[in-house]
Amino acid sequence: MEIKTVLLDCLATNRALKRIAHEIVEKNKGVNNVVLLGIARGGVPVCEKLAELINQIENVSVPFAQLDVTKFRDDLTQNAKLDKKVDEIINFSLEDKDVVLCDDVLYTGRTVRAGIEAIIKLGRPRSIQLAVLIDRGHRELPIRADYVGKNVPTSQEETVGVSFTKLGGEAVIFSNKN
């Protein structure tokens, strides 16, 4: 795939994630009741980086884990939908917690919907909030992020990808023409 545009370089990505971390702390009046869940693959490095930044800001380790939403997607076959158990081992309770669901790119909203369903199977949180690095629009469901690194208008023919490097967990965001 050919890179069309770099949307955020590593420095801009770090600034966006720092701002989101501060917004999470501010909105929740601290982080004593906050847990972070990263949607498997793209949301996991975003979640890990936010946990690290919140720890630097508040000097508190926020619990975080990976959440695989595959079984909860609405584009699976009917047989795959029958077993909607969450396979993840999350070693903390979600009961009455403020859960921040993290992902790299928000597009149609279907992955987030699957994430919300998976979270509800795990317990009854006080709230579910959404943090994304890039919001590219084109929603098919009424879902909106609480925390956004950057809003990027895109066409349906473009794709947006996030690449996290091993050096400091920084990300480079790019837009590719199909």
Side-chain angles (χ1 to χ4, degrees):
M1 284 192 259
E2 189 175 319
I3 294 176
K4 176 185 173 190
T5 306
V6 175
L7 302 171
L8 295 172
D9 61 15
C10 290
L11 289 174
T13 298
N14 280 333
R15 280 193 297 275
L17 289 170
K18 283 179 187 175
R19 181 176 39 78
I20 291 171
H22 280 281
E23 289 173 358
I24 290 169
V25 172
E26 184 177 340
K27 180 175 181 171
N28 293 287
K29 298 176 177 66
V31 291
N32 291 333
N33 201 49
V34 172
V35 298
L36 304 174
L37 293 177
I39 293 178
R41 291 190 6 183
V44 173
V46 172
C47 179
E48 290 171 347
K49 187 66 175 175
L50 287 173
E52 176 187 318
L53 292 166
I54 289 170
N55 188 0
Q56 290 172 10
I57 296 164
E58 291 289 292
N59 201 23
V60 173
S61 293
V62 176
F64 67 93
Q66 174 177 309
L67 182 66
D68 184 355
V69 302
T70 307
K71 291 182 182 179
F72 297 91
R73 295 195 51 89
D74 60 5
D75 54 359
L76 294 176
T77 64
Q78 193 58 38
N79 289 339
K81 290 181 180 180
L82 294 177
D83 180 26
K84 285 194 172 183
K85 290 187 282 189
V86 180
D87 292 334
E88 297 308 306
I89 299 171
I90 297 176
N91 59 1
F92 50 85
S93 173
L94 301 183
E95 292 294 322
D96 203 37
K97 296 291 184 186
D98 296 306
V99 176
V100 180
L101 186 61
C102 306
D103 207 359
D104 56 351
V105 179
L106 177 57
Y107 183 33
T108 62
R110 294 190 178 277
T111 301
V112 173
R113 186 217 48 86
I116 292 169
E117 189 176 339
I119 289 168
I120 291 170
K121 291 279 186 188
L122 289 167
R124 189 177 192 287
R126 180 186 331 177
S127 70
I128 300 174
Q129 302 164 30
L130 178 60
V132 298
L133 193 53
I134 299 289
D135 183 345
R136 64 171 291 193
H138 304 288
R139 221 70 81 240
E140 295 173 2
L141 299 171
I143 289 177
R144 188 187 78 194
D146 299 280
Y147 315 102
V148 178
K150 183 171 180 146
N151 287 293
V152 180
T154 62
S155 73
Q156 295 273 12
E157 291 75 41
E158 292 176 309
T159 59
V160 175
V162 178
S163 174
F164 282 85
T165 66
K166 295 295 179 194
L167 300 173
E170 298 172 332
V172 177
I173 291 53
F174 52 93
S175 177
N176 297 329
K177 195 92 161 159
N178 284 342

